[in-house]
Amino acid sequence: MERQQPLRFKSDPKAYKWHDEVLGDLITGPEVIDDFILIKSDGYPTYNFSHIVDDADMKITHVIRSQESSPLYQNISTLRSFKLTPP
């Protein structure tokens, strides 16, 4: 399989805010925003992209993840771009 350039999501460098049922209200500042990868150079999607599509397709309403996997700005950006409601 021929390697290609990864497909990146063009991020808007701004503050992202969200509410976590365990941690409360959270915010990420614009200084940590970058254009993250959706499809890797091997042609496969990243977890941060595929789980959003999968959750929406399966109509998931609640998700329990570790603190390291809490809704990052990547998740929020991707959800908003597809006009999806976060679970």
Side-chain angles (χ1 to χ4, degrees), residues 45-63:
T46 62
Y47 172 77
N48 285 337
F49 177 54
S50 59
H51 83 83
I52 288 173
V53 175
D54 193 44
D55 288 353
D57 185 52
M58 295 193 310
K59 298 178 178 38
I60 300 297
T61 58
H62 291 78
V63 176

Side-chain angles (χ1 to χ4, degrees), residues 5-64:
Q5 290 293 318
L7 176 65
R8 293 182 176 271
F9 184 95
K10 177 72 174 154
S11 297
D12 185 13
K14 64 178 185 178
Y16 287 86
K17 300 176 184 180
W18 68 94
H19 179 78
D20 183 278
E21 292 297 326
V22 176
L23 301 174
D25 293 328
L26 300 171
I27 186 169
T28 296
E31 66 277 359
V32 299
I33 307 304
D34 65 355
D35 296 340
F36 56 92
I37 296 173
L38 295 177
I39 306 294
K40 301 179 286 182
S41 61
D42 61 8
Y44 290 100
T46 62
Y47 172 77
N48 285 337
F49 177 54
S50 59
H51 83 83
I52 288 173
V53 175
D54 193 44
D55 288 353
D57 185 52
M58 295 193 310
K59 298 178 178 38
I60 300 297
T61 58
H62 291 78
V63 176
I64 298 173

